[in-house]
Amino acid sequence: MNINPEKVGTQIAALRKQRQFTQSDLGERLNISFQAVSKWERGEALPDTSILAALAQALETTVDNILLGGEKIMEYKGKLAAKDMREGINCLERMGFLLGKSNPLYRYAIEGMTEKMDTDVASMLDDEYLRECLILEAIIQNMIMGYYFDPTEVKASFKHERWYNVFCDYAKKYDIV
């Protein structure tokens, strides 16, 4: 985990303002100068570890919320495979074949996904390029929930390099590569 002083400073400033404290108010609560608070908020310095607990208490938050700049800590839940995401998306199409596309179970599943994703899922299943987009969406949603995907396996599972590149962008965002 990298601590970004600018993000920390932005978070401290936001939390301080939410509580309607001035920099001087916060400094007084912590027995430090308003200039020290100002340096934190500008990202020029980080709070000393000896003061972090008192700072978190004064701002009614946690130390990790401050140090992560308000970002949530991702809980690692395990490893998944892109090939399984592909199989899951293929099962949607198979469901339509087995139940019939006019069957309410299939229709409601597709309509629900179409509504929530604000896209025509049925037509995406019919197009190889867009089907890979659905597979990528399944991967990304699982990454957001804390699952790991091996980038080499993901790359091998996509025919269209664009989707692998989008995966890489998200993987960087969630510290997977």
Side-chain angles (χ1 to χ4, degrees), residues 90-101:
N90 289 344
C91 284
L92 284 175
E93 182 179 47
R94 183 120 171 92
M95 185 178 164
F97 174 76
L98 293 172
L99 296 176
K101 290 189 177 183

Side-chain angles (χ1 to χ4, degrees), residues 45-177:
L46 289 169
D48 189 81
T49 55
S50 64
I51 205 167
L52 281 172
L55 175 61
Q57 184 176 16
L59 296 175
E60 300 175 27
T61 190
T62 61
V63 170
D64 63 318
N65 185 34
I66 293 169
L67 293 179
L68 293 173
E71 292 181 14
K72 303 240 185 267
I73 295 175
M74 180 165 300
E75 183 181 322
Y76 176 69
K77 293 186 179 175
K79 183 177 178 183
L80 296 176
K83 67 179 180 57
D84 294 334
M85 300 301 106
R86 178 178 295 279
E87 180 62 26
I89 297 301
N90 289 344
C91 284
L92 284 175
E93 182 179 47
R94 183 120 171 92
M95 185 178 164
F97 174 76
L98 293 172
L99 296 176
K101 290 189 177 183
S102 60
N103 183 292
L105 290 174
Y106 175 75
R107 267 194 2 255
Y108 295 160
I110 296 298
E111 288 170 8
M113 285 185 288
T114 294
E115 181 182 327
K116 293 292 184 185
M117 294 174 68
D118 196 26
T119 190
D120 185 358
V121 172
S123 67
M124 291 180 82
L125 291 171
D126 293 336
D127 180 288
E128 177 189 328
Y129 182 76
L130 295 176
R131 179 188 293 256
E132 284 200 345
C133 181
L134 279 174
I135 295 164
L136 175 63
E137 182 66 24
I139 291 170
I140 290 170
Q141 291 303 319
N142 277 299
M143 286 178 12
I144 289 169
M145 292 186 299
Y147 289 95
Y148 171 81
F149 288 83
D150 176 10
T152 305
E153 190 263 341
V154 171
K155 184 172 187 160
S157 73
F158 281 114
K159 294 177 185 170
H160 299 92
E161 190 170 339
R162 170 170 168 52
W163 301 127
Y164 175 70
N165 292 335
V166 173
F167 163 80
C168 288
D169 291 343
Y170 275 88
K172 286 176 191 160
K173 180 178 178 179
Y174 293 99
D175 290 328
I176 291 175
V177 290

